[in-house]
């Protein structure tokens, strides 16, 4: 089954404690991205990757890092999380001819 | 920069009735795509319908149809014969054309309530 998986689905952490949200897709897609969803703002792109070792900033990259060492994986790293990063996070991958597949979302709370 | 605006934070409809969700967008591009995504309480993002800007015909998927007004930059979603399972947050989204650039720009979302 074609899918995008994210882990963990829920995470509560404290300010400053580094964390990683994993994302993996089994469709051999080159393009992957991360979005955050906040009330009244919709979803906004954080980072994207066109292929292995090719990443670039989206609209709201501050406080986040990503890496793309393998085609299937695109982890999101928060090196020093702050409360304003409390949000719902989605990973997505896209086939050039089709639309985007979204992961199930990760609810992050930073206290 | 492209922007997408959904001016209705909440809408409600009676079961079996019809409801229309509004969306406007701003772009200087001529090649682009527009989408409606549904997000039920499970939080999963589900693609409802897609419209290519170069197509004049409005897209339709079963009970879901759009009214695409390119000159007015308007893209509304009509849900006919509403069902309880249609209750969700709905997002309008824009993507520039071309196969190498996949960023979606989303509107703020509209919460749809369906009353039995």
């Amino acid at each position: 089954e074609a899918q995008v998986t994210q882990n963990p689905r829920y995470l509560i952490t404290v300010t400053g404690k580094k964390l990683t949200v994993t994302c993996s897709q089994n469709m051999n897609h080159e393009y992957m991205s991360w979005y955050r969803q906040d009330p009244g703002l919709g979803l906004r792109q954080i980072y994207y990757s066109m292929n292995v070792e090719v990443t670039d900033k989206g609209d709201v990259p501050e406080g986040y890092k990503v890496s793309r060492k393998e085609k299937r994986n695109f982890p999101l790293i928060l090196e020093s999380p702050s409360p304003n990063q409390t949000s719902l996070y989605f990973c997505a991958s896209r086939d050039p001819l089709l639309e985007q597949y979204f992961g199930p979302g990760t609810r992050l709370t930073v206290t | 920069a492209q922007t997408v605006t959904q001016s209705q934070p909440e809408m409600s409809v009676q079961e079996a009735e019809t409801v229309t969700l509004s969306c406007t967008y701003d772009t200087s591009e001529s090649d682009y795509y527009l989408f409606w995504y549904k997000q039920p309480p499970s939080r999963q993002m589900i693609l409802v319908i897609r419209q290519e800007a170069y197509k004049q015909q409005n897209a339709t998927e079963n009970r879901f149809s759009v009214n695409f007004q390119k000159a007015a930059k308007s893209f509304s979603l009509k849900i006919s014969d509403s069902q309880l399972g249609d209750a969700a947050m709905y997002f309008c989204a824009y993507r520039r054309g071309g196969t190498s650039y996949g960023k979606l720009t989303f509107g703020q979302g509209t919460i749809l309530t369906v009353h039995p």
Side-chain angles (χ1 to χ4, degrees):
Chain A
E1 180 191 353
Q3 61 180 351
V4 177
T5 57
Q6 291 178 230
N7 283 292
R9 297 288 309 278
Y10 300 89
L11 180 60
I12 301 174
T13 189
V14 296
T15 299
K17 185 176 181 182
K18 181 179 179 180
L19 66 92
T20 299
V21 184
T22 64
C23 172
S24 182
Q25 50 98 359
N26 62 0
M27 295 162 281
N28 203 38
H29 290 165
E30 292 183 346
Y31 185 93
M32 298 184 73
S33 58
W34 277 100
Y35 293 85
R36 62 176 288 173
Q37 179 181 345
D38 301 290
L41 297 176
L43 283 78
R44 295 174 292 166
Q45 191 182 58
I46 303 171
Y47 267 94
Y48 66 94
S49 170
M50 300 283 220
N51 211 328
V52 175
E53 302 293 359
V54 181
T55 63
D56 207 348
K57 298 176 181 178
D59 296 325
V60 288
E62 293 78 20
Y64 304 95
K65 285 178 58 177
V66 293
S67 69
R68 189 92 180 272
K69 293 183 170 54
E70 304 167 280
K71 200 171 189 178
R72 63 183 291 122
N73 296 323
F74 190 44
L76 180 69
I77 304 157
L78 286 72
E79 297 215 321
S80 183
S82 62
N84 65 11
Q85 293 178 296
T86 292
S87 187
L88 177 59
Y89 291 86
F90 287 97
C91 180
S93 72
R94 176 173 171 254
D95 182 285
L97 299 179
L98 301 173
E99 289 317 320
Q100 306 213 25
Y101 289 79
F102 282 88
T106 295
R107 172 72 69 185
L108 173 65
T109 302
V110 184
T111 61
Chain B
Q2 295 81 17
T3 59
V4 178
T5 302
Q6 293 176 249
S7 58
Q8 306 157 317
E10 298 183 27
M11 291 285 284
S12 65
V13 64
Q14 291 293 133
E15 199 175 4
E17 307 251 309
T18 296
V19 64
T20 298
L21 308 184
S22 300
C23 173
T24 58
Y25 61 96
D26 188 26
T27 184
S28 58
E29 303 285 340
S30 59
D31 180 16
Y32 56 89
Y33 297 80
L34 296 165
F35 310 89
W36 280 97
Y37 279 89
K38 172 185 178 181
Q39 186 180 52
S42 67
R43 304 192 314 232
Q44 183 67 46
M45 295 291 287
I46 302 166
L47 179 62
V48 175
I49 202 163
R50 177 177 100 161
Q51 175 78 45
E52 293 89 340
Y54 62 85
K55 289 187 177 178
Q56 291 191 334
Q57 186 173 6
N58 289 325
T60 299
E61 289 287 341
N62 301 313
R63 298 182 294 107
F64 298 86
S65 61
V66 298
N67 184 5
F68 175 44
Q69 301 289 326
K70 191 172 184 178
K73 294 181 180 175
S74 170
F75 183 61
S76 60
L77 175 70
K78 186 172 82 170
I79 305 174
S80 304
D81 185 25
S82 296
Q83 300 176 0
L84 295 177
D86 295 334
M89 172 84 85
Y90 287 83
F91 290 100
C92 179
Y94 164 100
R95 176 172 65 78
R96 205 174 81 185
T99 59
S100 63
Y101 193 71
K103 173 186 168 183
L104 288 167
T105 300
F106 286 87
Q108 300 88 336
T110 297
I111 298 172
L112 177 65
T113 302
V114 181
H115 298 289

